[in-house]
Amino acid sequence: MKQKKLILLFFYHLLFIVLAYQLRVIKGISDAHFYWAQNFNIAKYSWLDFANYGTDFILFLNYPFIKMNFPFWSGFLIYGIIGFFGILKWIQWTELVFTDKIMFKGINVLYLFFFLPNLHFWTANLGKESLVFYGIAVVFYAMASHQYKSFSFIVGGLLLLIIRPHVTMMLLFAVVMVELFENKQSLKKRLLILGTSFLALLLLFYMVLQLTKIKYFNWDRIQRFNDFSIFSFRHSGSYVPMLEHNYLYRIFALNFRPIFFDAKSFLGYVASSENMTVLLVCLLGLFFTIKFYSAIHFHNWIKITFWFTLIASILYVQRYANLGIFMRTKCMFQPFMLIALFCIIKQRFILNNSKK
């Protein structure tokens, strides 16, 4: 991406940092207030009190800045810049795996997805999403470029593991599913992958159980925990009664709502417009996948992206029932899915041109 476009993208992202800060100030109560100790006395705690994974780790990172009296808005600026680096890494990954351009009237259509409002909004916030998206982006880039020893991969991977072990678990599971069924893999290597990944997934699952306070594996206990999470959204302004719908509709709601009949504000219409665009791309990509399945080359990164999206969608509909949470959650996997779908759409047009 050229320097002028990067500068434009940065100032575009900066607008979302300002917007995110203003909305949180207006709201008065938010996760961001908690992460910057605006609603409790952090003087009662030491730095090491927050040396844990999950939410505590965000406070562990912020503790020195809070103690040095950095203002609330500075937290948004710090996290927003980290989120912007995550977007840059996602763009680098996109340009690495998507070598060709899709031109329409002199415009590279792919660049339009670099300005997705939902992605910029949540990575501009003082919260987990900025760090988590950075972590996911550098992991995807490392897998595509095979740069597993890079500083960014180590930092991003650790952030992802410590802040959201369940996302690490979903991504690892997606990678394992692709690698296990890779034709080039020998039986010995498949067994090695299966053994090591099983142990890693088991450890991650244990971390998730401790983080969610479920503590130990019990299916009824997990189900009650998930139902309680769903019902906790009942009194929110954009509650979706997920338990009243089948799985397909729940996955649809997570990935594509709000749409226009849900919109109650200007931001709601912006979100609806983006979701309708994403829905059209998904429908087009799905249609081409079914119609030209035998002719399309599904790169491993496409398979990993689809598995990651599918696993995340299946698991998140068990716990979330709010349109705002949907928008926040899917920014972790949807940008990668869009690029994968565009790769399939591009292949269809290449096939069509070759026939001509």
Side-chain angles (χ1 to χ4, degrees):
M1 198 173 187
K2 294 182 179 179
Q3 188 174 3
K4 288 183 179 179
K5 289 187 176 68
L6 286 175
I7 293 172
L8 173 63
L9 190 69
F10 174 75
F11 281 102
Y12 177 76
H13 188 75
L14 194 59
L15 291 175
F16 281 91
I17 294 176
V18 175
L19 174 64
Y21 170 70
Q22 290 296 335
L23 288 176
R24 294 298 174 261
V25 169
I26 292 170
K27 188 175 182 181
I29 301 174
S30 67
D31 290 341
H33 285 81
F34 175 73
Y35 294 145
W36 212 254
Q38 298 294 292
N39 50 12
F40 73 95
N41 184 10
I42 201 169
K44 296 180 180 179
Y45 302 90
S46 70
W47 193 7
L48 292 180
D49 287 333
F50 303 110
N52 198 357
Y53 59 92
T55 298
D56 286 346
F57 187 71
I58 302 296
L59 286 163
F60 179 80
L61 293 176
N62 296 343
Y63 189 91
F65 300 104
I66 298 169
K67 295 296 286 185
M68 289 187 289
N69 294 316
F70 274 55
F72 188 38
W73 62 263
S74 68
F76 282 83
L77 184 60
I78 294 169
Y79 276 72
I81 290 175
I82 295 171
F84 180 70
F85 283 133
I87 292 174
L88 290 184
K89 191 59 70 173
W90 170 62
I91 291 173
Q92 289 178 353
W93 169 80
T94 300
E95 292 178 337
L96 182 64
V97 298
F98 203 104
T99 54
D100 298 323
K101 298 178 180 179
I102 296 183
M103 303 302 293
F104 180 76
K105 294 186 177 181
I107 299 175
N108 186 355
V109 178
L110 205 59
Y111 281 174
L112 299 179
F113 287 94
F114 298 161
F115 292 85
L116 289 171
N118 188 59
L119 174 61
H120 282 274
F121 178 76
W122 290 110
T123 55
N125 263 276
L126 167 53
K128 297 177 183 177
E129 284 69 32
S130 302
L131 304 182
V132 169
F133 185 79
Y134 173 81
I136 296 172
V138 298
V139 168
F140 265 91
Y141 182 79
M143 287 191 294
S145 62
H146 304 288
Q147 296 181 11
Y148 298 109
K149 295 181 180 180
S150 66
F151 177 75
S152 61
F153 171 71
I154 294 170
V155 172
L158 286 174
L159 284 174
L160 188 59
L161 173 64
I162 296 171
I163 297 172
R164 282 198 171 144
H166 62 283
V167 177
T168 309
M169 184 174 67
M170 291 187 290
L171 184 52
L172 176 60
F173 189 82
V175 173
V176 170
M177 289 301 293
V178 173
E179 291 296 325
L180 278 179
F181 294 101
E182 175 61 49
N183 293 330
K184 297 178 181 178
Q185 304 288 16
S186 64
L187 177 61
K188 183 178 179 180
K189 190 167 184 181
R190 289 175 202 262
L191 292 174
L192 180 63
I193 292 171
L194 186 62
T196 54
S197 60
F198 177 77
L199 292 175
L201 289 168
L202 199 63
L203 175 61
L204 288 168
F205 185 59
Y206 173 79
M207 291 174 67
V208 173
L209 289 178
Q210 303 310 305
L211 194 62
T212 56
K213 310 301 181 185
I214 297 175
K215 297 297 184 181
Y216 57 89
F217 179 77
N218 179 284
W219 184 252
D220 290 335
R221 187 179 175 88
I222 293 172
Q223 190 62 51
R224 288 197 302 271
F225 177 82
N226 289 337
D227 290 348
F228 174 79
S229 179
I230 292 286
F231 288 131
S232 68
F233 292 101
R234 279 180 297 179
H235 302 295
S236 63
S238 55
Y239 172 65
V240 180
M242 297 290 275
L243 297 179
E244 298 176 12
H245 300 292
N246 60 48
Y247 266 91
L248 285 177
Y249 182 79
R250 294 186 203 180
I251 291 174
F252 173 86
L254 172 70
N255 284 281
F256 306 113
R257 288 185 65 186
I259 43 183
F260 292 106
F261 63 81
D262 297 309
K264 298 178 181 179
S265 64
F266 173 74
L267 292 178
Y269 282 106
V270 172
S272 298
S273 299
E274 179 177 334
N275 284 334
M276 282 301 298
T277 303
V278 172
L279 178 59
L280 290 173
V281 172
C282 287
L283 290 175
L284 190 61
L286 182 62
F287 173 74
F288 289 156
T289 298
I290 296 171
K291 188 172 182 179
F292 304 100
Y293 182 81
S294 59
I296 291 175
H297 178 55
F298 293 93
H299 305 278
N300 278 357
W301 66 267
I302 294 179
K303 296 175 187 177
I304 291 171
T305 302
F306 284 164
W307 271 108
F308 183 43
T309 300
L310 179 62
I311 295 164
S313 297
I314 290 173
L315 293 182
Y316 279 126
V317 297
Q318 309 293 326
R319 294 204 55 208
Y320 296 149
N322 175 279
L323 295 178
I325 298 294
F326 292 168
M327 294 297 290
R328 185 177 77 180
T329 300
K330 64 190 177 188
C331 79
M332 290 186 291
F333 54 84
Q334 199 171 78
F336 301 93
M337 180 190 68
L338 281 171
I339 301 304
L341 289 168
F342 247 77
C343 184
I344 291 173
I345 294 169
K346 178 199 72 173
Q347 289 187 59
R348 185 271 175 200
F349 284 107
I350 290 174
L351 289 170
N352 188 56
N353 291 334
S354 64
K355 289 179 181 179
K356 291 181 180 179

